[in-house]
Amino acid sequence: MLYAFHELAYQSALPFRVGAQLARSFWTSPFNPAADTAIGRTAYASAELFESVTRRYGKPAWKLETIDIGGKPVRTTEQVIWQSPWCRLVRFARNIGDLKRAKKPASGPAVLIVAPLSGHYATLLRGTVEAFLQDHDVYVTDWVNARQVPMLEGRFDFFDYIDHVRLMLAEIGGRAHVVGVCQPGPPVLAAGAVMAEDEDENRPLSMTFMGSPIDARLSPTVTNQLAEEKPFTWFKSNMIHTVPLPYAGFGRRVYPGFVQLYSFMSMNEDRHRDAHWNYFNSLIAGDGDGVEKHEEFYDEYLSVLDLTEEFYLQTIDIVFQQHLLARGLLEHRGRKVDLSRITDIGLMTVEGEKDDISGVGQTQAAHGLCPNIPEDRRVLYVQPGVGHYGVFNGRRFRDEIYPRVRDFIAQNEAAGGVPQRSAAAA
């Protein structure tokens, strides 16, 4: 019933949101002589704050129609090249003419960025995608909100996720490079092992994992401890709820995005409260930069999606409680996932010194689990001074992490001897 009560609370607040919107318009009207007074600015800020915290945040846009490459604007075209009921494979094709003006090659290694399926939309990686577009042909997994998938489409679980990674690599073709950000680490690594064992011609040339819980037993964080301390039945009883009408997925059992959001916000309650207080003061002071920075972050952070019951519970069980991949016990479709079969796929791990979601050591554990990867095709990097989000976004990611990943991909592209793919739109 929690989901139904959540929807009821949202709908009940509608009259107050309308009132806040009207108040906001009143106190910003050029015909209101009191608009630019202390009372007027405070009233406007109050209405704006109330409306923003009670708003329903939908799926954000990518906003990558034009990006800066080499100091020149380069247009990109968002192309859906493959899809299932659960995911869209999106390619951002760069314009050939614009690349020539930017004095950049019209081709580059193909990179599949596997976005986390953990409560937020793939657009959380907007900055990650923009960085990789500087030098690569970029593809992104755009996961679908489970509450929008009709029951007739069936289930989606941890093993379907592995299959999806393999299907998308096949769609891209050749031997692309994979970048898994946070949650995808274990299933992507498993997919790489299965493809390596099958000698799949589309197995990746390299895999880069950023802040991923490959072995969640190492440097456990608050999130890891919760997953280990609570019995499996607790998660099934307390975290899973039924999608209500009028959503297309009515009747589906899910881990709601709003539950995930509240959990994460409670971990840093003081930080979020201070951020909204500063936002309120910025509105009063007319600090456009402060307002824009706050809205840019929270418009993305407060946009959440639901996960299917089976995927969420299997992830808790496989990754955070039994640690099956790390212990060499994971099976996929009736056969053991053997990480020792990975011999010609480069491996890079990136961790943040201050990561409070995936502690230092959890991601780099992949190196010990993949003993047969040549040493000259491995990179282990820990970025000083950044937390979880800083591993894949922000200034230090752009200036310090991305150049290392770019060079690692280029090294493995050369080692693989695979012709570069076109990275431009016609």
Side-chain angles (χ1 to χ4, degrees):
M1 294 297 293
L2 178 65
Y3 213 134
F5 282 128
H6 175 77
E7 291 298 311
L8 178 62
Y10 172 76
Q11 297 299 334
S12 298
L14 180 60
F16 301 100
R17 283 195 300 277
V18 172
Q21 292 168 355
L22 292 173
R24 185 175 56 186
S25 300
F26 175 77
W27 289 110
T28 55
S29 171
F31 303 105
N32 185 346
D36 198 28
T37 64
I39 293 177
R41 291 194 298 270
T42 302
Y44 160 72
S46 300
E48 179 69 23
L49 179 62
F50 177 84
E51 196 279 333
S52 69
V53 299
T54 60
R55 183 190 314 161
R56 173 64 52 82
Y57 289 82
K59 181 182 177 181
W62 279 101
K63 300 179 182 178
L64 293 174
E65 292 83 2
T66 303
I67 63 173
D68 182 274
I69 298 180
K72 300 291 184 180
V74 174
R75 290 165 291 173
T76 69
T77 303
E78 184 179 334
Q79 303 171 343
V80 179
I81 68 167
W82 178 90
Q83 62 183 334
S84 77
W86 305 101
C87 186
R88 304 186 318 153
L89 178 58
V90 177
R91 180 193 184 207
F92 290 93
R94 304 175 298 173
N95 183 272
I96 292 177
D98 292 345
L99 285 173
K100 289 180 178 178
R101 284 187 285 274
K103 297 181 179 179
K104 287 282 187 176
S107 61
V111 174
L112 171 62
I113 299 178
V114 184
L117 181 54
S118 57
H120 283 94
Y121 289 96
T123 51
L124 189 68
L125 303 186
R126 185 181 295 105
T128 317
V129 173
E130 186 171 8
F132 276 91
L133 279 170
Q134 302 294 310
D135 308 282
H136 304 96
D137 183 12
V138 178
Y139 301 78
V140 185
T141 60
D142 191 9
W143 301 105
V144 175
N145 192 333
R147 71 168 174 254
Q148 302 295 352
V149 182
M151 290 284 288
L152 290 175
E153 298 293 350
R155 293 162 48 91
F156 180 85
D157 63 17
F158 186 88
F159 303 101
D160 294 320
Y161 193 112
I162 294 174
D163 292 338
H164 269 58
V165 172
R166 187 169 186 172
L167 287 168
M168 286 184 277
L169 283 169
E171 186 65 31
I172 295 171
R175 296 192 64 185
H177 304 264
V178 178
V179 176
V181 180
C182 189
Q183 169 272 320
V188 169
L189 184 56
V194 172
M195 296 178 78
E197 182 174 1
D198 291 346
E199 298 184 359
D200 191 319
E201 63 182 2
N202 297 310
R203 65 190 182 278
L205 265 176
S206 74
M207 297 182 292
T208 300
F209 299 112
M210 299 179 166
S212 295
I214 303 295
D215 189 345
R217 296 173 297 180
L218 306 176
S219 302
T221 63
V222 173
T223 303
N224 304 142
Q225 292 169 352
L226 173 65
E228 291 185 354
E229 291 172 359
K230 300 290 186 182
F232 182 77
T233 53
W234 182 89
F235 290 95
K236 189 170 185 178
S237 300
N238 293 277
M239 295 298 187
I240 304 301
H241 303 278
T242 303
V243 176
L245 288 170
Y247 296 109
F250 167 67
R252 184 178 295 281
R253 297 282 285 171
V254 299
Y255 174 50
F258 66 83
V259 174
Q260 171 86 313
L261 179 62
Y262 296 158
S263 299
F264 274 128
M265 293 189 76
S266 66
M267 291 172 58
N268 298 284
E269 186 176 343
D270 292 342
R271 183 186 305 173
H272 291 293
R273 183 175 59 247
D274 292 345
H276 282 81
W277 175 248
N278 292 335
Y279 175 59
F280 178 72
N281 288 323
S282 295
L283 288 167
I284 293 175
D287 177 8
D289 290 339
V291 169
E292 183 178 0
K293 183 178 180 180
H294 176 94
E295 292 179 345
E296 181 180 354
F297 175 79
Y298 279 99
D299 283 356
E300 191 74 51
Y301 189 75
L302 298 176
S303 300
V304 292
L305 54 75
D306 298 349
L307 284 61
T308 66
E309 172 187 33
E310 54 274 14
F311 174 76
Y312 173 73
L313 291 178
Q314 286 180 345
T315 299
I316 292 293
D317 181 48
I318 292 171
V319 177
F320 295 104
Q321 291 195 339
Q322 295 199 61
H323 315 286
L324 294 183
L325 182 67
R327 294 168 58 208
L329 300 176
L330 180 65
E331 292 187 359
H332 177 62
R333 308 301 182 196
R335 62 169 167 162
K336 180 183 176 181
V337 175
D338 187 356
L339 298 180
S340 69
R341 302 301 294 267
I342 302 176
T343 60
D344 64 349
I345 300 175
L347 175 63
M348 180 174 186
T349 59
V350 181
E351 296 177 315
E353 178 190 22
K354 299 180 178 180
D355 195 331
D356 60 353
I357 303 296
S358 297
V360 174
Q362 293 187 14
T363 310
Q364 61 185 265
H367 291 283
L369 296 172
C370 302
N372 294 324
I373 296 176
E375 288 301 317
D376 61 356
R377 296 190 68 176
R378 298 175 181 267
V379 174
L380 187 160
Y381 181 68
V382 179
Q383 174 63 44
V386 303
H388 187 71
Y389 190 73
V391 169
F392 57 88
N393 227 324
R395 179 182 58 81
R396 288 183 175 174
F397 165 74
R398 292 190 302 270
D399 296 345
E400 301 180 49
I401 295 175
Y402 170 71
R404 289 176 166 86
V405 179
R406 176 197 61 206
D407 294 345
F408 169 75
I409 289 174
Q411 172 193 346
N412 282 274
E413 183 78 3
V418 177
Q420 290 188 331
R421 304 155 179 82
S422 172

